[in-house]
Amino acid sequence: MTGRRWSVVTVTYNSARTLRACWRGGARPYEWIVVDNCSSDDSVAVAQELGARVVRLPENVGFSRANNIGLREVVGEYVLFANPDLEINPTEGFTVLEGHLDAHGGLAAPQLLSADGVPQPNGRGFPYATAKLGNRKIWPLSRLHASYRLTAAPGEAVWVAWVMGAAVAARTRDFIDLGGWNEQFFLYYEDHELGLRAWRGGHPVALLGDVRWTHHWGRATNSLRWSRAHTLELRSARTFFGMFPEFLTGLPPAPRRHRQAARLVGSPVPNGR
């Protein structure tokens, strides 16, 4: 482990119970910054008890803006944006992430696992609207876009179009140069846009199978009952597909507009670290 070369940014919103469950432990070999989006529970107190430096916001400014506020506080050479429901093993992963980022730059993510050890597809292919429907198991779109959901086995690293925002790592300077998170997105789709913007700027995106951390994934929009989360997701979808209208329809021409990603997504990352 490389001391405090790493800064970890976590955005909280009524996350006290999750923090207690996922962030227990002793001294942390990284700087931990928690940005609290005006929680009504005791998220701030719990984060402080667990050793975080907390930035308390007077209102809920959303995921992207809160992450950017945390980014401005970072002092580490490397930054990891980590959800409250992520379990980080600091002795397993940071060195691998560093090696990849130093060799290839761009964005990198660990392979996320469910609580029972099953890999979650936190690496993704191109975000066509039809792929999003296929991801919800709607046949035959689920077969048409089978390569949309990507995982990486131990010893493997693969290029992906984007990675879920639950865990995203980069060299701090690279992430700042990329422009940070897009604050047009309050919640949802910000990770899609980040990955595509990274590729367009020459910053590749990879999923690393040798870093395997548990993610207690509790997606609010999995329920069929309409909620504020569904409203936020729909609003973000409109913003995203307004920015990337090529993904509203079938397959090409989107890959032609993202040539580097189209050549590499789903293929192994070469050794070089």
Side-chain angles (χ1 to χ4, degrees):
M1 188 50 212
T2 53
R4 291 186 178 270
R5 297 177 65 188
W6 279 86
S7 296
V8 176
V9 176
T10 300
V11 174
T12 55
Y13 179 69
N14 295 334
S15 308
R17 180 179 298 180
T18 303
L19 289 174
R20 288 191 184 100
C22 299
W23 293 82
R24 294 168 297 183
R28 304 183 187 282
Y30 52 84
E31 174 191 41
W32 187 27
I33 301 165
V34 167
V35 182
D36 185 72
N37 260 329
C38 198
S39 294
S40 58
D41 68 358
D42 57 347
S43 293
V44 169
V46 171
Q48 289 172 336
E49 291 169 7
L50 292 170
R53 176 158 58 91
V54 179
V55 179
R56 189 170 190 170
L57 302 181
E59 61 179 332
N60 186 351
V61 301
F63 182 73
S64 292
R65 186 176 171 192
N67 267 328
N68 285 339
I69 290 170
L71 179 62
R72 292 197 287 269
E73 300 292 323
V74 161
V75 298
E77 182 181 351
Y78 304 87
V79 61
L80 170 72
F81 297 93
N83 272 14
D85 57 0
L86 182 69
E87 291 188 46
I88 295 174
N89 186 335
T91 63
E92 299 178 0
F94 282 140
T95 301
V96 175
L97 287 165
E98 283 183 25
H100 172 87
L101 292 170
D102 287 345
H104 303 286
L107 307 177
Q111 173 59 63
L112 300 183
L113 307 174
S114 66
D116 54 2
V118 176
Q120 297 175 350
N122 60 303
R124 298 297 173 93
F126 284 116
Y128 295 97
T130 49
K132 298 289 290 184
L133 294 173
N135 190 43
R136 300 300 173 88
K137 312 298 184 184
I138 297 177
W139 188 91
L141 299 177
S142 55
R143 295 184 62 184
L144 178 63
H145 294 287
S147 61
Y148 175 67
R149 298 160 60 89
L150 299 169
T151 59
E156 182 181 39
V158 295
W159 300 118
V160 297
W162 59 279
V163 291
M164 285 169 39
V168 181
R171 292 181 296 198
T172 303
R173 176 47 55 188
D174 288 348
F175 202 87
I176 292 172
D177 289 345
L178 182 59
W181 296 84
N182 190 328
E183 296 183 12
Q184 292 183 69
F185 298 92
F186 184 88
L187 186 65
Y188 302 118
Y189 282 86
E190 68 287 316
D191 41 13
H192 303 47
E193 190 276 339
L194 177 67
L196 295 176
R197 175 160 40 96
W199 279 108
R200 281 186 168 179
H203 301 279
V205 185
L207 182 66
L208 308 186
D210 281 342
V211 188
R212 307 177 79 77
W213 291 339
T214 300
H215 176 221
H216 300 273
W217 194 2
R219 188 173 173 85
T221 54
N222 280 346
S223 170
L224 294 178
R225 180 177 295 178
W226 194 264
S227 66
R228 183 170 184 267
H230 289 90
T231 300
L232 290 172
E233 184 173 30
L234 180 59
R235 185 180 303 162
S236 291
R238 289 172 176 166
T239 300
F240 177 80
F241 290 113
M243 296 170 64
F244 297 94
E246 63 266 30
F247 289 116
L248 273 173
T249 58
L251 295 171
R256 294 201 296 269
R257 301 188 185 186
H258 304 270
R259 291 184 176 87
Q260 184 187 19
R263 290 195 303 269
L264 294 177
V265 166
S267 64
V269 175
N271 293 327
R273 52 182 184 267

